[in-house]
Amino acid sequence: MTQLHTVQVLGGGSAGSSAHVRSLAAGLVARGVRVTVCAPVELDQAYDFLGAGAHFVPVPRRGDPVAIGTLRGACAGADVVHAHGLHASVRAGLALGPQRVPLVVTWHTRTHAEGARGRLLRLMERRTVRAAAVVLGTSSELVDRARRRGARDARLGPVSVPAPHAGTTESEAGKARAELGAMDRPLLVAVGALEPHRGYGTLLDASRLWLRHDPVPLVAVAGEGRQRPALQRRIDAEGLPVRLLGRRHDVTALLAAADVALLPSRWEARAPLAQEALRLGVPLVATAVGGVPELVGDAAELVPYGDAGALAGAVTALLTDPGRRAALAVAGRRQAATWPTEDETIAQVLSVYDELCAGPRARTP
């Protein structure tokens, strides 16, 4: 009996896909699978794939021949290659070439583009899903999209982010509030890269309306990105009650400290912020886009994307209604209990590998 060897490929690596690969690597190694993770070196520094028991091969983000050659060498002898995201899938397909190694692709999210770039992205999607033996979509919408692009086998593969650590105590949440100067005012928290599709322009529009609230809520945004200078200029010029916190390693404590969590994105599948907020029992106001309604059910307040008035109104209504916030906290934890666990997610992926490799391999419990 031989040991199954899988190569996990990450490109840029969003927080959700990187956390999933870390969880998947640890779970597969525990089951006796040999795992190699190919990703930019900074992702191993952030997610410690080596600490999960995986072999790590640094592959730069660029897609030049040197990077593809490194990836090709790492995939040599693999039983299954599993690429996460569109760009990782393209690179994995180029690296595999004519090798008869099954390629599994997970779509964690979708990329937005118009015009010529949009046509190129659609072409890349068609090529990658047609090269894949199985495409796993983290939401029903992504599964349907893969099928429209010509996937031979597209399945729902919900990704469960690791549950918040039990060590997030009330004292840690209180410390986070004190650090932000929000002991005597509502705290609203958003998490995510400062990129156009995250909807932070709309969030700033809404924050102007919250200036009428007494006391004025503080909006704390954890994340970094190219929009930071423009957002900060606007915050300063308009005197908005918003703090850009940059990258944070205490996101769970920040969310636990929040009165309301905010997700104003243009599109999301299984947003890590939404999962963590509901598990913590923090009321969530999110845009009704992509896989969000499917993920949260009736356990969050949903608003249209780009509607600052609706976003501001939903938050204000929650801040003035403790009963509704308490009901959402209960509903959130109940909804989170319906999601697949990490073990179930790993078991589903492993069953796909076994299927593609024509039968189960010997594994330790």
Side-chain angles (χ1 to χ4, degrees):
M1 291 182 289
T2 58
Q3 182 185 35
L4 181 70
H5 177 204
T6 175
V7 175
Q8 306 289 318
V9 183
L10 278 165
S14 67
S17 61
S18 298
H20 173 58
V21 169
R22 209 290 180 182
S23 170
L24 193 57
L28 290 172
V29 168
R31 289 161 173 79
V33 178
R34 180 184 168 201
V35 178
T36 299
V37 175
C38 297
V41 67
E42 58 268 26
L43 291 183
D44 182 57
Q45 294 169 351
Y47 291 92
D48 191 20
F49 302 118
L50 286 168
H55 178 60
F56 178 72
V57 176
V59 179
R61 294 175 187 270
R62 64 182 186 272
D64 61 20
V66 173
I68 298 300
T70 300
L71 189 56
R72 181 177 295 118
C75 293
D79 295 298
V80 180
V81 173
H82 190 163
H84 300 264
L86 179 60
H87 293 286
S89 303
V90 170
R91 298 168 77 188
L94 289 172
L96 288 174
Q99 297 182 56
R100 298 179 64 84
V101 178
L103 174 63
V104 177
V105 168
T106 292
W107 277 3
H108 294 263
T109 186
R110 54 177 283 190
T111 304
H112 299 274
E114 306 294 337
R117 187 164 184 268
R119 290 191 292 274
L120 175 60
L121 285 170
R122 288 191 291 274
L123 176 62
M124 291 167 62
E125 289 177 348
R126 285 196 294 271
R127 286 184 174 176
T128 56
V129 301
R130 291 173 182 177
V134 175
V135 178
L136 300 174
T138 58
S139 71
S140 297
E141 183 177 336
L142 287 175
V143 174
D144 291 342
R145 185 181 181 91
R147 288 171 179 161
R148 290 196 303 272
R149 296 291 187 261
R152 290 175 287 166
D153 186 341
R155 313 176 191 181
L156 184 64
V159 170
S160 177
V161 300
H165 294 298
T168 303
T169 62
E170 291 184 11
S171 63
E172 289 174 313
K175 181 180 177 181
R177 288 189 78 105
E179 176 200 335
L180 295 171
M183 297 303 292
D184 300 314
R185 59 193 296 194
L187 176 62
L188 315 177
V189 172
V191 179
L194 305 183
E195 301 292 339
H197 69 279
R198 294 290 184 181
Y200 290 127
T202 301
L203 179 56
L204 296 193
D205 291 341
S207 74
R208 189 189 306 117
L209 299 175
W210 292 323
L211 290 170
R212 307 169 188 168
H213 197 280
D214 185 22
V216 176
L218 173 65
V219 182
V221 181
E224 195 55 84
R226 55 181 167 150
Q227 272 204 309
R228 179 166 187 149
L231 293 171
Q232 191 62 61
R233 283 194 298 270
R234 187 174 164 197
I235 291 166
D236 296 339
E238 300 178 28
L240 301 177
V242 179
R243 285 188 58 184
L244 303 180
L245 305 180
R247 290 188 180 88
R248 299 284 293 227
H249 299 291
D250 60 344
V251 167
T252 299
L254 286 172
L255 280 173
D259 295 288
V260 178
L262 305 173
L263 185 66
S265 302
R266 176 181 177 182
W267 196 91
E268 295 280 355
R270 295 180 67 84
L273 175 138
Q275 293 188 54
E276 193 154 11
L278 266 61
R279 281 175 168 156
L280 288 167
V282 177
L284 172 69
V285 176
T287 43
V289 297
V292 174
E294 178 181 19
L295 176 69
V296 303
D298 60 358
E301 298 288 356
L302 299 179
V303 298
Y305 168 73
D307 190 332
L311 176 61
V315 170
T316 299
L318 283 177
L319 293 178
T320 56
D321 188 348
R324 177 60 179 160
R325 294 203 305 275
L328 282 179
V330 173
R333 292 189 174 100
R334 184 172 58 241
Q335 179 71 8
T338 70
W339 300 333
T341 64
E342 281 189 271
D343 280 346
E344 289 168 341
T345 298
I346 294 161
Q348 181 196 17
V349 171
L350 189 51
S351 72
V352 171
Y353 296 170
D354 285 338
E355 176 186 332
L356 295 176
C357 294
R361 307 293 181 102
R363 297 186 295 273
T364 59

